[in-house]
Amino acid sequence: MPRFKYLYHTNKRKMPYSGLKDFIEKLEKTGELQRIRTFVDPILEIAELTDRITKNNGKALLFENTGTEFPLLINAYGSDKRMALALGYDDIASATDDIEKLFSLLSKPAGNLIGKLQSLPLFLKMGNLFPSRSESRGDCQKVVIPEPDLSVLPILKCWPHDGGRFITLPMVHTKHPETGSTNTGMYRMQVIDRRSTGMHWQRHKTGASHFEAWKLTGRKMPVSVTLGGDPVYAYCATAPLPENISEYILAGFLRKKKVRLVKCLTNEIYVPADADIVIEGYVDPAEPFFMEGPFGDHTGFYSLADLYPVFHVTCITHSLNAVYPATVVGIPPMEDAWLAKATEKLFLTPIRLAIQPEVTDFHLPEAGVAHNLAIVKIGKTYPGQGKKVINSMLGAGQMMFTKYLVVVSHDTDIRDYRAVARTIMLNTSPVRDILYQYGPLDVLDHSSDTFSYGGKAAIDATLKMPEEAYPGKEGPPMEAHVTEPAGLSDHKLPCVKTINTDLFKEGIPLIVIGANPSEDPGYAGMITEYLGGFDYKHFTLAVIVDHTVQVDDLLMVAWQALGNSDPVRDKWIHSGNLLVIDATIKYYRKGGFPRKWPNVVCSDYPSIESIDRKWDSLGLGGFIPSPSLKAMKLLRNGQDYIDETI
């Protein structure tokens, strides 16, 4: 058994960061930070500017003039390099190597006494990375604000129809009242007033589970929120860890030093000593809920207002050089995409060892906003293995929220989306290889008929073995050369405004149609019948999007298709080889859609024009226009949701 020190990558180790100030210095030394000294308003302007920078692969931004005493750091995780630096590595691959070695060692049985004795130093060393509790004060408690007041912080309002200001990068600390188990989760917090916020822990989250347990006790629930500290903490708060594993165990392993926790001043919660800012308080389960939201969310749509608990602030403390961290989410790609990419790499080994040994890679594309699409690669050795993986993964942890799941064989590059599309068309029968079911969805999914529950589709696009051969006409293999059927684009359907068949030229039989459903309630069936009139010798996929979507912008099409469709309700299959997915706004669906349909997230003209005027004073180089100018074409009447008068 190798000694524990050899678990770590041979690259020169870095000392863990002590607060965001250390991380900022590192970012600046590596050319990954841009300081902005001009005042940029936390109300709408910072988000508008950050959106331009993030979508153009720009640097982390440090706003030094926020109208408060606290500078604001944003887009700190928004590149592969910065994500690796946040974890304390030169590159993510090094962190992946460490995680893989650790889990491989832990999964090997020590079958005899000598093996067990050899394992002992490993576990003793691991114990030194477990978080420790200290009764003395930490750097995070150097300054105590005698009368807690959230207005001292540069809290953002990101988008025009947000319900107010939101703390967007909080680490929320809770504990179970009976077991004492702790959790650190990232749940947005809408400011209600100077001493209270909403607490958006969704029904599937551990924070909500702890809340339900506290409700049974009839007592107030202690809650503390930290901002900043070692940047690895924010990542660990988003990581898909088992409920009984402390986020600070993972943080200690990644930073190669245990996390020192200190007791809060007004409750029993312990928080990292090196946090920049601590907001202490409680949630009273007996108190009426607050109508929290709307909020421009990472789905690219507004999450609509709903009832959530109220968090009451009892104390605010901070370090001497505290920096306020924030993030902005919206239409992808945004900063959160790099957090998801890190999870892909770091948690591949645990998935392989704990769930499916045949999984060799998995990927969460940006257009799928974390839970709408997952692509999994496997080493296939027997018939039916793709479907076996599907059935297992759809019930594994946060994978249960996945709406579309695609499984491919080892020879497909799952980050080459054209290769994935080609593989699906080549290896899939719409009748036999797409499994439809109902199950839990992320609460942010707006396309299902019911809240947090709806349709799913899993595609077995693995190479088929002889036992899985397609009989008869049920989906023969795709021809080597795919051509667009003659006359396909010469439609005469009034509701169809645009059609894109360009992918046929690349051997991918995929059609994108822009339609205006308001012109004909039966648009989807009519389009399916029209397309079904052509002779397809292979699996062909057609996606219907709203006529406002630019059909040659495939990232936009994919994002709209994944977000705006329920895989069970919105599918149309014709003659066994043609699958049509209706990804239009469902307000127009015959019979009416039973839920409010959210508008897309984008800035407003005053904010855009304000940043345009300030641009030359910001030191950001060549002018970058607002991405919202393009997104505004997707807006419909209404504000956070589409008004029924359209």
Side-chain angles (χ1 to χ4, degrees), residues 422-487:
R422 195 174 290 110
T423 296
I424 291 172
M425 304 304 180
L426 179 64
N427 297 328
T428 304
S429 160
V431 178
R432 293 186 57 184
D433 295 326
I434 305 180
L435 310 181
Y436 296 97
Q437 61 177 278
Y438 287 93
L441 295 173
D442 191 285
V443 300
L444 301 181
D445 183 90
H446 62 269
S447 66
S448 60
D449 287 352
T450 52
F451 178 67
S452 70
Y453 178 81
K456 297 170 177 283
I459 302 172
D460 176 9
T462 58
L463 290 168
K464 299 303 184 290
M465 294 183 168
E467 297 87 346
E468 302 171 289
Y470 303 121
K473 296 182 179 180
E474 212 176 77
M478 189 172 73
E479 298 170 345
H481 181 63
V482 174
T483 56
E484 175 186 342

Side-chain angles (χ1 to χ4, degrees), residues 496-645:
V496 173
K497 305 305 177 185
T498 52
I499 184 167
N500 178 6
T501 58
D502 289 348
L503 287 175
F504 274 87
K505 300 171 185 176
E506 301 180 42
I508 303 171
L510 194 155
I511 307 163
V512 182
I513 293 175
N516 187 353
S518 64
E519 295 187 9
D520 190 333
Y523 65 97
M526 184 181 300
I527 291 171
T528 301
E529 285 301 315
Y530 171 74
L531 296 176
F534 295 89
D535 183 23
Y536 302 105
K537 296 182 173 62
H538 39 68
F539 173 25
T540 298
L541 175 65
V543 178
I544 308 173
V545 294
D546 287 286
H547 64 287
T548 53
V549 178
Q550 191 173 331
V551 294
D552 59 354
D553 184 338
L554 296 182
L555 174 61
M556 185 69 70
V557 168
W559 165 60
Q560 288 274 300
L562 295 167
N564 282 347
S565 63
D566 179 296
V568 176
R569 183 195 64 218
D570 295 328
K571 73 178 187 301
W572 298 70
I573 299 177
H574 192 285
S575 302
N577 280 337
L578 172 66
L579 172 63
V580 179
I581 297 175
D582 176 12
T584 61
I585 294 171
K586 296 307 177 302
Y587 172 79
Y588 299 105
R589 188 165 61 88
K590 189 176 182 180
F593 188 69
R595 300 169 62 201
K596 291 180 179 178
W597 195 274
N599 240 325
V600 299
V601 174
C602 57
S603 193
D604 57 14
Y605 285 114
S607 301
I608 293 170
E609 291 164 359
S610 178
I611 294 301
D612 287 350
R613 288 192 298 269
K614 291 182 180 182
W615 189 269
D616 290 340
S617 68
L618 300 175
L620 294 170
F623 179 76
I624 299 173
S626 173
S628 289
L629 295 173
K630 176 181 177 182
M632 284 176 175
K633 298 175 183 177
L634 303 177
L635 286 174
R636 297 299 182 92
N637 293 345
Q639 298 184 2
D640 55 303
Y641 67 92
I642 297 173
D643 192 286
E644 63 184 24
T645 59

Side-chain angles (χ1 to χ4, degrees), residues 273-290:
D274 60 346
D276 283 62
I277 300 165
V278 182
I279 307 172
E280 303 177 14
Y282 66 89
V283 171
D284 185 353
E287 184 179 14
F289 282 9
F290 167 69

Side-chain angles (χ1 to χ4, degrees), residues 23 162 201-202 314 511:
F23 185 46
D162 283 356
W201 46 45
Q202 300 163 7
T314 55
I511 307 163

Side-chain angles (χ1 to χ4, degrees), residues 128-140:
N128 288 334
L129 297 180
F130 277 41
S132 66
R133 291 188 172 189
S134 172
E135 296 305 317
S136 59
R137 289 197 179 187
D139 288 345
C140 63

